[in-house]
Amino acid sequence: MEFFPHPMTFILILFISYFFCLGIAADCGGKNVAYTITVGRNGKVTFKTIQAAIDSIKSNNDQWVKIHIKAGFYTEQVHIPREKPCIILEGENSQNTIINFSDHYSVPQGTSSTGTFISWPSNVIASDITFKNSYNVDDKGNNKIFPAVAASIYGDKTFLLRCSFIGYQDTLFDVIGRHYFKDCYIQGEIDFIFGNGQSYYENCLINAIGRNKNLAGFVTAQSRDSPNDPGGFVFEGGSIVGNGKVNLGRAWRAYSRVIFHNTNFSSVITPQGWNNFGHVGEENKFTYAEVDCKGPGADTSKRVPWTKKLNSAQLQEFSLASFINKDSWLNNLPIIS
Protein backbone atom coordinates (compact mmCIF):
# COMPACT_ATOMS: atom_id res chain seq x y z
CA MET A 1 0.00 0.00 0.00
CA GLU A 2 1.28 3.47 -0.88
CA PHE A 3 0.15 6.86 0.41
CA PHE A 4 0.10 9.15 -2.62
CA PRO A 5 0.30 12.95 -2.35
CA HIS A 6 -2.61 14.80 -3.91
CA PRO A 7 -1.93 16.78 -7.12
CA MET A 8 -2.10 20.54 -6.50
CA THR A 9 -1.15 22.08 -9.82
CA PHE A 10 -4.73 22.83 -10.84
CA ILE A 11 -5.62 24.96 -7.79
CA LEU A 12 -5.54 28.37 -9.52
CA ILE A 13 -7.78 27.12 -12.33
CA LEU A 14 -10.02 25.61 -9.68
CA PHE A 15 -10.61 28.92 -7.92
CA ILE A 16 -11.27 30.75 -11.18
CA SER A 17 -13.72 28.05 -12.22
CA TYR A 18 -15.43 28.17 -8.84
CA PHE A 19 -16.14 31.89 -8.98
CA PHE A 20 -17.25 31.55 -12.60
CA CYS A 21 -19.71 28.88 -11.47
CA LEU A 22 -21.07 31.15 -8.76
CA GLY A 23 -22.01 33.74 -11.35
CA ILE A 24 -23.87 31.37 -13.64
CA ALA A 25 -26.92 30.57 -11.54
CA ALA A 26 -27.88 32.68 -8.55
CA ASP A 27 -31.46 31.46 -8.92
CA CYS A 28 -33.22 28.47 -10.49
CA GLY A 29 -36.68 29.96 -10.79
CA GLY A 30 -37.77 29.23 -7.23
CA LYS A 31 -38.73 25.85 -5.81
CA ASN A 32 -40.66 24.54 -8.80
CA VAL A 33 -39.33 21.83 -11.11
CA ALA A 34 -39.75 22.82 -14.77
CA TYR A 35 -39.81 19.27 -16.12
CA THR A 36 -38.62 15.72 -15.39
CA ILE A 37 -36.49 13.39 -17.51
CA THR A 38 -36.62 9.66 -16.79
CA VAL A 39 -33.59 7.39 -17.17
CA GLY A 40 -33.77 3.61 -17.06
CA ARG A 41 -32.73 0.38 -18.70
CA ASN A 42 -36.20 -0.51 -19.93
CA GLY A 43 -39.84 0.52 -19.82
CA LYS A 44 -41.11 4.04 -20.44
CA VAL A 45 -37.95 6.13 -20.23
CA THR A 46 -36.51 9.18 -21.98
CA PHE A 47 -32.88 8.02 -22.00
CA LYS A 48 -30.98 4.87 -21.13
CA THR A 49 -27.94 6.64 -19.72
CA ILE A 50 -27.67 9.40 -17.15
CA GLN A 51 -25.11 11.31 -19.19
CA ALA A 52 -27.45 11.44 -22.19
CA ALA A 53 -30.11 13.02 -19.99
CA ILE A 54 -27.64 15.65 -18.73
CA ASP A 55 -26.45 16.36 -22.27
CA SER A 56 -30.04 17.07 -23.33
CA ILE A 57 -30.40 20.00 -20.90
CA LYS A 58 -29.71 23.41 -22.38
CA SER A 59 -26.59 25.36 -21.51
CA ASN A 60 -26.99 28.16 -18.96
CA ASN A 61 -30.10 26.40 -17.65
CA ASP A 62 -32.03 28.63 -15.23
CA GLN A 63 -34.87 26.38 -14.04
CA TRP A 64 -34.81 23.21 -11.98
CA VAL A 65 -34.75 20.09 -14.13
CA LYS A 66 -35.18 16.71 -12.47
CA ILE A 67 -33.54 13.58 -13.83
CA HIS A 68 -35.33 10.61 -12.28
CA ILE A 69 -33.05 7.57 -12.36
CA LYS A 70 -34.87 4.26 -12.15
CA ALA A 71 -33.38 1.51 -10.01
CA GLY A 72 -30.51 -0.22 -11.78
CA PHE A 73 -26.75 -0.57 -12.12
CA TYR A 74 -25.31 2.11 -14.41
CA THR A 75 -21.74 1.69 -15.61
CA GLU A 76 -20.79 5.17 -16.74
CA GLN A 77 -18.92 8.31 -15.73
CA VAL A 78 -21.43 11.08 -15.06
CA HIS A 79 -20.29 14.67 -15.64
CA ILE A 80 -22.38 17.81 -15.04
CA PRO A 81 -20.54 20.65 -16.83
CA ARG A 82 -20.30 24.11 -15.32
CA GLU A 83 -22.77 25.63 -17.80
CA LYS A 84 -25.61 23.33 -16.66
CA PRO A 85 -26.74 24.34 -13.16
CA CYS A 86 -30.18 23.70 -11.61
CA ILE A 87 -30.12 19.91 -12.02
CA ILE A 88 -31.65 17.34 -9.66
CA LEU A 89 -30.49 13.72 -9.88
CA GLU A 90 -33.12 11.58 -8.15
CA GLY A 91 -32.53 7.88 -7.61
CA GLU A 92 -35.05 5.39 -6.30
CA ASN A 93 -32.90 4.14 -3.42
CA SER A 94 -29.14 4.20 -2.88
CA GLN A 95 -29.14 0.41 -2.40
CA ASN A 96 -30.52 -0.25 -5.87
CA THR A 97 -29.68 2.90 -7.86
CA ILE A 98 -25.95 2.54 -8.40
CA ILE A 99 -23.61 4.46 -10.69
CA ASN A 100 -20.28 2.68 -11.03
CA PHE A 101 -17.08 3.45 -12.88
CA SER A 102 -13.51 2.20 -12.53
CA ASP A 103 -10.73 4.72 -13.02
CA HIS A 104 -7.71 5.80 -11.01
CA TYR A 105 -4.88 8.31 -10.68
CA SER A 106 -2.37 8.35 -13.50
CA VAL A 107 -0.04 10.81 -15.17
CA PRO A 108 -1.03 13.23 -16.63
CA GLN A 109 -4.74 13.09 -15.73
CA GLY A 110 -4.13 13.25 -11.95
CA THR A 111 -6.86 12.50 -9.44
CA SER A 112 -9.63 14.99 -10.14
CA SER A 113 -10.81 13.57 -13.46
CA THR A 114 -11.15 9.99 -12.22
CA GLY A 115 -14.48 10.54 -10.45
CA THR A 116 -17.48 8.40 -11.24
CA PHE A 117 -19.53 11.57 -10.64
CA ILE A 118 -18.07 15.01 -11.42
CA SER A 119 -20.26 18.03 -10.72
CA TRP A 120 -19.08 21.53 -11.65
CA PRO A 121 -22.01 23.97 -11.47
CA SER A 122 -23.82 25.68 -8.64
CA ASN A 123 -27.29 24.50 -7.63
CA VAL A 124 -27.14 20.74 -7.92
CA ILE A 125 -29.13 18.20 -5.88
CA ALA A 126 -28.60 14.45 -5.75
CA SER A 127 -30.67 12.03 -3.70
CA ASP A 128 -30.90 8.28 -3.13
CA ILE A 129 -27.98 7.29 -5.38
CA THR A 130 -24.78 5.30 -4.83
CA PHE A 131 -21.67 6.69 -6.50
CA LYS A 132 -18.97 4.02 -6.63
CA ASN A 133 -15.44 3.83 -7.97
CA SER A 134 -14.75 0.11 -8.09
CA TYR A 135 -11.04 0.33 -8.97
CA ASN A 136 -9.67 -0.36 -5.48
CA VAL A 137 -12.86 -1.93 -4.13
CA ASP A 138 -13.80 -4.88 -6.33
CA ASP A 139 -10.35 -5.89 -7.58
CA LYS A 140 -9.11 -7.84 -4.58
CA GLY A 141 -6.03 -9.01 -6.50
CA ASN A 142 -4.81 -5.46 -7.13
CA ASN A 143 -1.86 -4.91 -4.80
CA LYS A 144 -1.15 -1.39 -6.03
CA ILE A 145 -3.51 1.17 -4.49
CA PHE A 146 -4.13 4.40 -6.41
CA PRO A 147 -6.38 7.38 -5.67
CA ALA A 148 -9.75 6.53 -7.26
CA VAL A 149 -12.55 9.06 -6.75
CA ALA A 150 -16.23 8.17 -6.49
CA ALA A 151 -17.43 11.80 -6.61
CA SER A 152 -15.86 15.24 -7.21
CA ILE A 153 -18.01 18.18 -6.12
CA TYR A 154 -16.87 21.61 -7.36
CA GLY A 155 -20.05 23.70 -7.42
CA ASP A 156 -21.45 25.96 -4.71
CA LYS A 157 -24.89 25.26 -3.21
CA THR A 158 -24.85 21.48 -3.65
CA PHE A 159 -27.18 19.25 -1.61
CA LEU A 160 -26.64 15.50 -1.35
CA LEU A 161 -29.34 13.53 0.45
CA ARG A 162 -29.26 9.82 1.33
CA CYS A 163 -26.42 9.21 -1.13
CA SER A 164 -23.63 6.66 -0.78
CA PHE A 165 -20.02 7.17 -1.81
CA ILE A 166 -17.97 4.00 -2.10
CA GLY A 167 -14.24 3.83 -2.68
CA TYR A 168 -10.97 3.17 -0.91
CA GLN A 169 -8.46 6.01 -1.38
CA ASP A 170 -9.82 9.51 -2.09
CA THR A 171 -13.47 8.41 -2.25
CA LEU A 172 -15.11 11.83 -1.96
CA PHE A 173 -13.36 14.88 -3.42
CA ASP A 174 -15.18 17.69 -1.62
CA VAL A 175 -13.37 20.28 -3.66
CA ILE A 176 -14.73 23.77 -2.98
CA GLY A 177 -18.02 25.59 -2.37
CA ARG A 178 -20.87 25.11 0.11
CA HIS A 179 -22.09 21.54 0.26
CA TYR A 180 -24.67 19.86 2.49
CA PHE A 181 -24.43 16.09 2.94
CA LYS A 182 -27.40 14.69 4.87
CA ASP A 183 -27.98 11.04 5.87
CA CYS A 184 -25.19 9.88 3.56
CA TYR A 185 -22.90 6.83 3.67
CA ILE A 186 -19.17 7.32 2.93
CA GLN A 187 -16.72 4.42 2.67
CA GLY A 188 -12.95 4.31 2.33
CA GLU A 189 -9.68 4.18 4.22
CA ILE A 190 -7.12 6.70 2.98
CA ASP A 191 -8.04 10.42 2.86
CA PHE A 192 -11.51 9.35 1.80
CA ILE A 193 -13.10 12.75 2.43
CA PHE A 194 -10.68 15.34 1.05
CA GLY A 195 -10.54 18.82 -0.46
CA ASN A 196 -11.50 22.32 0.65
CA GLY A 197 -15.27 22.36 0.50
CA GLN A 198 -17.16 24.50 2.98
CA SER A 199 -19.24 21.51 3.90
CA TYR A 200 -21.67 20.27 6.52
CA TYR A 201 -22.14 16.53 7.05
CA GLU A 202 -25.28 15.77 9.04
CA ASN A 203 -26.09 12.32 10.37
CA CYS A 204 -23.70 10.57 7.98
CA LEU A 205 -22.38 7.03 8.45
CA ILE A 206 -18.65 6.83 7.78
CA ASN A 207 -17.19 3.35 7.26
CA ALA A 208 -13.41 2.99 7.47
CA ILE A 209 -12.41 -0.26 5.77
CA GLY A 210 -8.98 -1.23 7.08
CA ARG A 211 -7.15 -3.60 4.73
CA ASN A 212 -3.69 -3.15 6.22
CA LYS A 213 -3.80 -3.79 9.95
CA ASN A 214 -0.35 -2.24 10.40
CA LEU A 215 -1.24 1.16 8.92
CA ALA A 216 -3.95 3.47 10.20
CA GLY A 217 -5.98 5.29 7.57
CA PHE A 218 -7.36 8.84 7.52
CA VAL A 219 -11.00 9.86 7.32
CA THR A 220 -10.28 13.44 6.19
CA ALA A 221 -7.54 15.38 4.39
CA GLN A 222 -8.85 18.92 4.50
CA SER A 223 -6.93 21.52 2.48
CA ARG A 224 -7.78 24.97 3.83
CA ASP A 225 -4.68 27.10 3.17
CA SER A 226 -5.19 30.52 4.79
CA PRO A 227 -6.78 31.93 7.97
CA ASN A 228 -9.46 33.76 5.94
CA ASP A 229 -10.38 30.77 3.80
CA PRO A 230 -14.04 29.77 4.44
CA GLY A 231 -13.37 26.07 3.81
CA GLY A 232 -13.75 23.34 6.37
CA PHE A 233 -15.60 20.12 7.15
CA VAL A 234 -18.20 20.06 9.93
CA PHE A 235 -19.64 16.70 11.00
CA GLU A 236 -22.85 16.91 13.02
CA GLY A 237 -24.04 13.65 14.57
CA GLY A 238 -23.54 10.48 12.62
CA SER A 239 -21.04 7.70 13.31
CA ILE A 240 -17.61 6.42 12.35
CA VAL A 241 -17.40 2.64 12.22
CA GLY A 242 -15.19 0.10 10.49
CA ASN A 243 -12.30 -2.24 11.12
CA GLY A 244 -8.59 -1.76 11.60
CA LYS A 245 -7.62 1.72 12.75
CA VAL A 246 -8.24 5.18 11.31
CA ASN A 247 -7.27 8.74 12.22
CA LEU A 248 -9.91 11.46 12.10
CA GLY A 249 -7.78 13.52 9.74
CA ARG A 250 -4.46 14.79 8.50
CA ALA A 251 -3.59 18.28 7.35
CA TRP A 252 -3.40 18.42 3.57
CA ARG A 253 -2.64 22.14 3.94
CA ALA A 254 -1.52 24.34 6.80
CA TYR A 255 -4.92 25.75 7.91
CA SER A 256 -6.80 22.47 7.75
CA ARG A 257 -10.17 22.64 9.56
CA VAL A 258 -12.38 19.74 10.68
CA ILE A 259 -14.96 19.71 13.50
CA PHE A 260 -16.86 16.71 14.85
CA HIS A 261 -19.89 17.47 17.05
CA ASN A 262 -22.08 14.84 18.69
CA THR A 263 -20.54 12.09 16.56
CA ASN A 264 -20.35 8.49 17.71
CA PHE A 265 -16.81 7.09 17.43
CA SER A 266 -16.32 3.33 17.46
CA SER A 267 -13.04 1.80 18.63
CA VAL A 268 -11.68 2.15 15.08
CA ILE A 269 -10.41 5.68 15.96
CA THR A 270 -6.70 5.85 16.88
CA PRO A 271 -5.80 7.25 20.33
CA GLN A 272 -3.89 10.21 18.80
CA GLY A 273 -6.76 11.00 16.42
CA TRP A 274 -4.99 13.48 14.13
CA ASN A 275 -1.83 13.82 12.01
CA ASN A 276 0.08 16.95 10.98
CA PHE A 277 1.03 15.45 7.57
CA GLY A 278 4.49 17.06 7.68
CA HIS A 279 3.36 20.53 8.83
CA VAL A 280 5.74 20.40 11.77
CA GLY A 281 5.63 23.59 13.85
CA GLU A 282 2.42 24.77 12.14
CA GLU A 283 -0.01 22.74 14.23
CA ASN A 284 -1.38 25.86 15.94
CA LYS A 285 -2.87 26.88 12.56
CA PHE A 286 -5.11 23.80 12.37
CA THR A 287 -8.69 23.81 13.64
CA TYR A 288 -9.30 20.24 14.73
CA ALA A 289 -12.00 19.82 17.35
CA GLU A 290 -14.18 17.10 18.85
CA VAL A 291 -17.18 18.38 20.81
CA ASP A 292 -19.60 16.18 22.78
CA CYS A 293 -18.61 13.08 20.85
CA LYS A 294 -19.30 9.65 22.30
CA GLY A 295 -18.45 5.99 21.97
CA PRO A 296 -15.29 3.97 22.70
CA GLY A 297 -13.23 5.99 20.23
CA ALA A 298 -14.16 9.35 21.78
CA ASP A 299 -11.62 9.19 24.61
CA THR A 300 -9.43 12.27 24.06
CA SER A 301 -6.91 11.61 26.85
CA LYS A 302 -4.23 10.51 24.36
CA ARG A 303 -5.08 12.91 21.53
CA VAL A 304 -2.39 15.09 19.96
CA PRO A 305 -1.96 18.25 22.10
CA TRP A 306 -2.93 20.68 19.34
CA THR A 307 -6.64 19.90 19.05
CA LYS A 308 -8.86 22.91 19.73
CA LYS A 309 -11.34 23.44 22.56
CA LEU A 310 -14.37 25.33 21.23
CA ASN A 311 -16.63 27.38 23.48
CA SER A 312 -20.36 27.70 22.77
CA ALA A 313 -19.94 30.90 20.73
CA GLN A 314 -17.21 29.34 18.59
CA LEU A 315 -19.27 26.20 18.10
CA GLN A 316 -22.20 28.32 16.92
CA GLU A 317 -20.03 29.55 14.03
CA PHE A 318 -20.04 25.97 12.77
CA SER A 319 -23.79 25.39 12.96
CA LEU A 320 -25.67 24.62 9.74
CA ALA A 321 -27.22 28.11 9.64
CA SER A 322 -23.99 29.98 10.31
CA PHE A 323 -21.48 27.88 8.44
CA ILE A 324 -23.14 27.29 5.06
CA ASN A 325 -26.66 28.76 5.06
CA LYS A 326 -26.38 32.46 5.92
CA ASP A 327 -28.12 33.39 2.66
CA SER A 328 -30.82 30.71 3.21
CA TRP A 329 -30.07 28.85 -0.02
CA LEU A 330 -31.12 25.57 1.60
CA ASN A 331 -34.54 27.02 2.40
CA ASN A 332 -35.15 27.82 -1.27
CA LEU A 333 -34.54 24.33 -2.71
CA PRO A 334 -37.32 22.19 -4.18
CA ILE A 335 -38.76 19.73 -1.67
CA ILE A 336 -37.03 16.35 -1.88
CA SER A 337 -39.19 13.56 -0.47
Side-chain angles (χ1 to χ4, degrees):
M1 179 184 299
E2 298 183 26
F3 287 70
F4 289 88
H6 298 288
M8 302 179 185
T9 57
F10 66 96
I11 198 68
L12 179 59
I13 296 172
L14 180 62
F15 273 89
I16 294 171
S17 300
Y18 169 60
F19 287 110
F20 177 72
C21 290
L22 283 180
I24 286 179
D27 177 50
C28 294
K31 296 184 177 184
N32 294 326
V33 174
Y35 62 95
T36 298
I37 302 168
T38 302
V39 174
R41 294 304 190 198
N42 47 57
K44 191 176 181 179
V45 299
T46 316
F47 295 100
K48 291 188 176 181
T49 69
I50 301 158
Q51 191 61 52
I54 293 168
D55 293 345
S56 74
I57 297 171
K58 68 179 182 180
S59 295
N60 301 318
N61 177 47
D62 59 0
Q63 291 183 302
W64 287 110
V65 176
K66 179 187 291 185
I67 300 174
H68 179 78
I69 306 166
K70 297 180 70 173
F73 191 88
Y74 299 84
T75 302
E76 58 177 302
Q77 189 176 42
V78 175
H79 176 212
I80 305 180
R82 61 173 57 91
E83 68 272 13
K84 295 192 178 185
C86 308
I87 289 177
I88 303 169
L89 299 181
E90 178 189 69
E92 294 191 340
N93 185 296
S94 64
Q95 294 183 345
N96 55 31
T97 309
I98 300 167
I99 306 171
N100 178 67
F101 199 68
S102 180
D103 198 3
H104 66 281
Y105 170 89
S106 64
V107 179
Q109 76 169 349
T111 301
S112 58
S113 63
T114 69
T116 299
F117 176 52
I118 304 173
S119 180
W120 277 96
S122 301
N123 296 299
V124 169
I125 300 171
S127 69
D128 301 292
I129 301 168
T130 288
F131 302 100
K132 179 179 179 180
N133 191 320
S134 58
Y135 178 77
N136 294 319
V137 177
D138 293 343
D139 185 5
K140 299 299 190 293
N142 179 20
N143 295 319
K144 190 106 172 169
I145 299 298
F146 287 98
V149 178
S152 298
I153 312 297
Y154 292 83
D156 191 45
K157 297 190 288 188
T158 300
F159 178 32
L160 299 113
L161 175 64
R162 297 186 300 268
C163 288
S164 294
F165 305 88
I166 296 177
Y168 182 75
Q169 177 167 347
D170 294 4
T171 303
L172 176 56
F173 193 5
D174 187 350
V175 190
I176 195 167
R178 292 170 295 172
H179 308 151
Y180 181 34
F181 297 83
K182 183 173 172 58
D183 300 332
C184 290
Y185 172 84
I186 308 165
Q187 175 182 301
E189 182 178 17
I190 305 168
D191 302 344
F192 60 101
I193 305 173
F194 74 108
N196 192 29
Q198 184 180 344
S199 298
Y200 197 89
Y201 294 79
E202 183 173 1
N203 194 36
C204 292
L205 176 60
I206 298 167
N207 185 17
I209 51 171
R211 287 188 187 171
N212 191 325
K213 304 303 180 184
N214 298 317
L215 288 175
F218 303 90
V219 175
T220 67
Q222 208 284 325
S223 61
R224 183 169 174 260
D225 64 359
S226 76
N228 298 318
D229 190 323
F233 299 158
V234 177
F235 295 84
E236 175 64 37
S239 300
I240 300 179
V241 299
N243 51 47
K245 287 293 181 181
V246 70
N247 295 284
L248 295 171
R250 61 177 174 176
W252 182 3
R253 294 206 175 92
Y255 287 85
S256 185
R257 181 161 67 177
V258 181
I259 294 94
F260 287 93
H261 180 229
N262 260 332
T263 306
N264 187 74
F265 294 154
S266 74
S267 58
V268 72
I269 307 300
T270 64
Q272 68 272 13
W274 305 90
N275 184 285
N276 64 17
F277 205 16
H279 292 282
V280 179
E282 296 184 288
E283 292 89 350
N284 65 314
K285 298 176 182 178
F286 307 155
T287 303
Y288 289 154
E290 304 163 52
V291 183
D292 297 329
C293 294
K294 49 194 178 294
D299 180 2
T300 59
S301 62
K302 295 182 180 179
R303 289 290 193 263
V304 292
W306 28 266
T307 56
K308 295 289 194 297
K309 305 294 184 184
L310 302 181
N311 59 38
S312 57
Q314 291 170 320
L315 187 61
Q316 179 60 32
E317 295 177 17
F318 299 107
S319 68
L320 179 64
S322 297
F323 191 57
I324 67 167
N325 198 38
K326 286 184 177 179
D327 61 355
S328 300
W329 67 273
L330 286 170
N331 307 79
N332 296 318
L333 296 178
I335 295 174
I336 306 298
S337 60

